[in-house]
Amino acid sequence: NGNYITFDFSSLFDDSIYKYYKLHLQGCYNGSGSGHQLRARLNIGGALKADGNYRSVANYIDAQSSGQSTSADKRWDTDHLVFTWLEDSTPAHDTNTELIFNRPETTNTNNIIKFWSEGQDNNYLYQLVGHGRYNSAGDIRGISFWGNGNTSIYIRFAQLYGIKG
């Protein structure tokens, strides 16, 4: 937990062994109530990128007993990616997120990250599915997460899987 959680994959990614890597985050929540997001920046080529080169698209669905809603989410030329909302600070209503990195060591293309998140916000169930990228070529060596509004975020469990392709 903390205001900034960093994962360093520089000694773990090896495209000659695995084509894809899946990072599974279980039990994500924030420490101060609604209105927060799980944001991230990538370490590309050895540097954490905080400029305006992130792009993503996603579909968002939520539902409760009285109805549902569906919307599209687009973020273009921002300084971070958003993987989900951490609206509820109740640990029993936490969020689970999976990120898939496709050949993260590739240096001649913009690496795409596919993401899927699901969770609960009070009485709502929600899901966010999308993909994003850092819009400049380079290898992915890590990722750093934080919640907006200077709030602490919590990740109870994280595991990285290599997937042969």
Side-chain angles (χ1 to χ4, degrees), residues 132-146:
R133 68 175 61 203
Y134 181 76
N135 197 39
S136 184
D139 61 327
I140 298 173
R141 296 188 188 176
I143 191 166
S144 295
F145 297 98
W146 82 97

Side-chain angles (χ1 to χ4, degrees), residues 58-153:
N59 291 318
Y60 176 78
I61 301 166
D62 68 30
Q64 64 173 332
S65 63
S66 63
Q68 65 191 34
S69 68
T70 303
S71 62
D73 184 61
K74 173 194 80 109
R75 297 174 189 256
W76 214 255
D77 296 336
T78 64
D79 67 350
H80 62 278
L81 294 169
V82 174
F83 293 121
T84 192
W85 288 264
L86 299 177
E87 295 290 334
D88 195 330
S89 61
T90 307
H93 296 173
D94 54 16
T95 296
N96 299 311
T97 298
E98 289 186 354
L99 309 174
I100 297 176
F101 302 91
N102 179 16
R103 295 190 184 269
E105 288 189 312
T106 302
T107 58
N108 62 350
T109 187
N110 303 341
N111 290 309
I112 294 173
I113 300 173
K114 298 175 186 174
F115 56 91
W116 168 80
S117 299
E118 57 78 23
Q120 181 174 346
D121 175 14
N122 297 309
N123 296 322
Y124 287 89
L125 295 179
Y126 62 85
Q127 175 176 286
L128 183 70
V129 178
H131 77 273
R133 68 175 61 203
Y134 181 76
N135 197 39
S136 184
D139 61 327
I140 298 173
R141 296 188 188 176
I143 191 166
S144 295
F145 297 98
W146 82 97
N148 60 309
N150 202 24
T151 186
S152 290
I153 60 169

